[in-house]
Amino acid sequence: MPISSLGKADGMVYGTFSSFVHTFSHYFQGKSAKLRQTLGGSSPELDPAEQPRIMNVDDFRKRGKEMVDYIADYMENIQKRRVVPAIEPGYLRHSLPTEAPKKAESYETVMQDFENFIMPGVTHWQHPRFHAYFPAGNSFPSILADMLSDALGCVGFSWAACPAMTELEMIMLDWFGRMIGLPEQFLPFTENGKGGGVIQGSASECNFVSLLAARFEVMKELRQRFPFVEEGLLMSKLIAYCSKEAHSSVEKACMIGMVKLRILETDSKFRLRGDTLRNAITEDRNMGLIPFFVSTTLGTTSCCSFDSLSEIGPICTDQELWLHVDAAYAGSAFICPEFRYLLSGIEHAMSFNTNPNKWLLVNFDCSTMWVKDRYKLTQALVVDPLYLQHSWTDKAIDYRHWGIPLSRRFRSLKLWFVIRMYGIDGLQNYIREHVRLAKKFEAQIKADDRFELIGDVIMGLVCFRLKGGDDINQKLLTKLNSSGRIHMVPASLNERFVIRFCVCAENANDRDIVVAWEIIRQAAEHLLHENAAEPLVEEDELEEEEDVGTEKEVEEIAEQNEQPARRKTSEGAQPSSSEDLIAEKNKQTLAYKRSFFVRMVSDPKCYNPKIVRHLNLGSHRKMSEDLRRDMTLRHAIERGNTLNSRTRSSRLADSRNMDISSSADNDSTEEMTVALEQTGIQTPI
C-alpha cells in the first residue's frame, strides 16, 4: 500500500514504524561490523550456492516495512474476517510438514504459509464483533515498544543484568499506582516505606505468589509456636478463602501450594460479604483449622461483580489474615476518579494486582502487582546462587526474587510508551467510552421484554439471557457463534446459563453496538419463531463464500436435530435408502466437526470446568432418570430371556403328552419380547 493512500493517523503510524525499522537496521549493522573488526577482518566469502539465505540488515529493513503494511492492512480490514475460525482440532498438523526444513526458506514462502495455514485458525480478538472474555490490550504504541524490547533482547532478572529495565519498572509501578489511587504504603518510592510493585506475566501469577508469601509468613510463626510439630502437619491445617465467583487461578494456586481452600457463597449481586467470611472463619477455627489467606475480586470474570472490600478488609486485619485483591480487569478503570469508590477498604490489603494488558491498551503480557511489605514477598521466593549475585545487591532491587521465573522481559517499556503517548486523559476517555457503550447495550436489553439482565452493569461487561430455560439460551449462543459474525462466551450465575457481552475493541463505537444487538435480536427471533428473518449480514463482512456455506450447514443440521419428526410428517417423506442415510450422516458429522470450536466456547463446562459444580440440578435428575430407565430395561430383558428359556423347555417336555386340541391353551404362554430400541408405539418401561 503506498503511503499516499493512508490516512493522516495511519501515515503517522507507518512513518513511526519505518523509523523503527531503520533504527533496528543500523543497530544490527553496527553490531555486525564491530564483531568482524574484533575477529580480525571479514570472514571468507562462501560459495553463493552454499550460502544460507539468512535475513541480513538490508533484508530486515525491506521486510520490516512490508510487515508494517501487513499489520496496518490487517487492523484496517479486520471486520471483513470471521471472528472465530471454522476449523476442528488438529487441522494444522495435516497442513505443515512433519519435520523442520533442512535448508533455509524464503520470507515470501513463510508469509504465504502464514496466510494460508495460520490465519484460517486465528480467533480475531481485535475484531469489532469480538465480545468474549475481556479485552486483549492492543495499541500501536504498545506494538512499537514490544519491537524495541525484542530487538534489545535483554533478560532483566537483576539490576546488574539490565539496570534500565529494573529502574523503569519501578518508576512505572509508581506512576500507575498513583494513577489508580493506591495508598502510599504500596508505592515503591514512599519515604521509609516497605511497599513496592512488580510486573508479572499474568494475574494467575499474582494470585499464586501472594498465596506463597502468605503461607511462608504464617508457617514462620507456626514453627516458632510449635517447634516440635512436623511441618507437614502444620501445613495441613492451613485454609484459604475466596468466593465462588473468584477466578479459577485461586483454586489452582491453593492446589499447587498444597493448602485447603473454602469457596464461599455470594449475595444476590454476586459479591462476597463480610458476614459470610466471618462465619466461615469462626467455623473453621472451631474445627482446628488455621485461616491465613483471603482472595477478593474487584470485577469478577463471570459478571464483573465487586466483593465488599470495605466489609472484608477490617475482618482480615482483626484476624491477621493476608488479604489479596485481584482486580485484573476492572483495576484499570480506577484511573477514573468516579470508579475509585469501589476501592474502599484497600488499605487493609497486603497485595493488589491489575492487568494493563486487559483494559489499558498494553499488549500481553503485563500484570502489575503491588505489596504493602516487599520483604514478606521476597523472603518467600529468594534463591541466591553465587553466579547471580552482584556488587549492587544492597542498593538495588532484583526482580528475580519477586516471582516464579528467573528470566524477565522488558515489559515496562510498553507500559511507558502507552501512558506517555495516550496520556492519563486519553486513557480515561478510552475507559469511559467502553462503559458508555456497555450502558447503551444494557438499554437495548432492557427495552426488549424477551430478555433479562443478570447482575449490575458497572464496567464494560453486560450479562443477559433470554427469558426461559438454559437450553434455549445455549442454543442462542451456539447459533450466534456459529454464524462467525459475533463471538461471546457463557457463564453460570446462580446455576443459570447466561451470556456475557463485553466491549473489547479499542475503537468500538455506537454502530458496533447497534449491529451486535441486531445480530443477537434477529438470531433470537429466528430461534423463537422459525419464519423470522435470517440474522443480519453486513455487506463488508464475511467475503469468503466457503465460510457462509459452513454456517448454513450448521444451522440446517441444528434445525434437523430439533424437529425431525415434524418436518418428515409435513413433507410426507418416505424412509430413505441406506446410501441416503449414510450420506446424511456424513454431512452431519462434517458440520459437527466444523462447529467444534463454536460448541466449545458455548458450553459452560468447557469455558470453565469449575462451573460443573454449579450447573442446574435438572440435568443431574434427568441423567439419574435415564440411568434408572436403562437399568430397568436391562433387568426386563434379562427376565424376558429367562422366561423364554423356561417356556421353550416346558414346551419341549409337554409336547410329547399333549395333543393338537390343547394347542389353544398354549397361546397364553407366548414368548415375552422387549424392544431394544424405542419404536415410537411401545410404552416406555
Side-chain angles (χ1 to χ4, degrees), residues 331-346:
S332 296
F334 299 150
I335 66 173
C336 302
E338 62 267 29
F339 296 121
R340 288 183 193 157
Y341 72 94
L342 297 165
L343 270 174
S344 177
I346 189 63

Side-chain angles (χ1 to χ4, degrees), residues 26 35 37 51 65 100 171 186 247 329 370 539 641 674:
H26 282 290
L35 179 61
Q37 184 177 2
Q51 190 169 1
K65 293 175 181 178
I171 294 170
F186 288 94
H247 194 265
Y329 166 64
W370 292 263
E539 293 181 357
N641 291 337
V674 179

Side-chain angles (χ1 to χ4, degrees), residues 560-576:
Q560 289 172 7
N561 291 335
E562 289 173 11
Q563 293 182 329
R566 181 193 56 78
R567 186 170 59 256
K568 287 182 179 180
T569 302
S570 62
E571 295 175 358
Q574 298 297 322
S576 302

